[in-house]
Amino acid sequence: MESLKVKDYMNMRPVTFDPSQSLSAALDKLLTAKQIGGPVVDANRQVVGFLSEQDMIQKLIKVGYHCQDTHTVGECMREDVLTVSPDSSIIELADIMSGQKPKIYPVVESGQLVGVITRRDVLTAISNQIGACFQHPV
């Protein structure tokens, strides 16, 4: 199971945001993609932050109340982003995710975003491995 790698289960087409994007545009993008968050990237696809539903909700309540979309992604994003490499072990990532860590990790290679991996992706990898064990018991 140690041979399971992030690159084999990551989403290579994640929803991403631009720091200058309006929060309402980011919300539309997030809902359309049916994601709970995504990396904020610069023009070079370097991860500069992360925006989640939780980060947005308080600001969006005010937007809805005042009917003014004055906030940007850059104002709401978290800048302390934990990332993983495509060659990271799924098992090691599962260990990290079992705590109070993020549910989504940007996958970065050579400084650039190449995908994201979620808890569900990690569970899928583990489920596939368990299924293979039962098909070919030791």
Side-chain angles (χ1 to χ4, degrees):
M1 211 144 113
E2 195 60 34
S3 64
L4 297 174
K5 299 292 182 196
V6 165
K7 65 184 170 190
D8 299 321
Y9 291 91
M10 70 183 191
N11 172 357
M12 296 188 327
R13 296 179 56 157
V15 62
T16 60
F17 305 99
D18 181 282
S20 63
Q21 191 173 22
S22 75
L23 209 51
S24 62
L27 174 64
D28 288 342
K29 195 172 185 180
L30 196 65
L31 293 175
T32 300
K34 297 182 179 174
Q35 299 289 313
I36 62 169
V40 181
V41 295
D42 64 15
N44 299 319
R45 294 208 38 93
Q46 292 184 333
V47 177
V48 296
F50 194 89
L51 185 68
S52 71
E53 293 170 330
Q54 185 176 3
D55 300 325
M56 299 172 77
I57 199 161
Q58 203 59 26
K59 300 270 189 208
L60 288 171
I61 289 171
K62 293 175 185 169
V63 168
Y65 181 78
H66 297 289
C67 288
Q68 293 178 340
D69 190 7
T70 57
H71 298 290
T72 65
V73 167
E75 296 170 337
C76 297
M77 70 182 191
R78 280 179 278 124
E79 293 179 7
D80 56 332
V81 183
L82 299 176
T83 63
V84 295
S85 132
D87 290 317
S88 295
S89 161
I90 289 281
I91 302 311
E92 289 173 12
L93 183 56
D95 255 355
I96 294 167
M97 286 182 155
S98 66
Q100 294 295 328
K101 299 293 180 185
K103 296 176 180 118
I104 303 173
Y105 282 75
V107 181
V108 175
E109 186 172 45
S110 302
Q112 293 189 317
L113 179 73
V114 293
V116 296
I117 189 154
T118 66
R119 283 186 182 168
R120 182 163 303 258
D121 298 326
V122 170
L123 287 171
T124 298
I126 293 168
S127 174
N128 290 347
Q129 186 67 28
I130 289 169
C133 288
F134 289 124
Q135 283 182 347
H136 307 287
V138 185

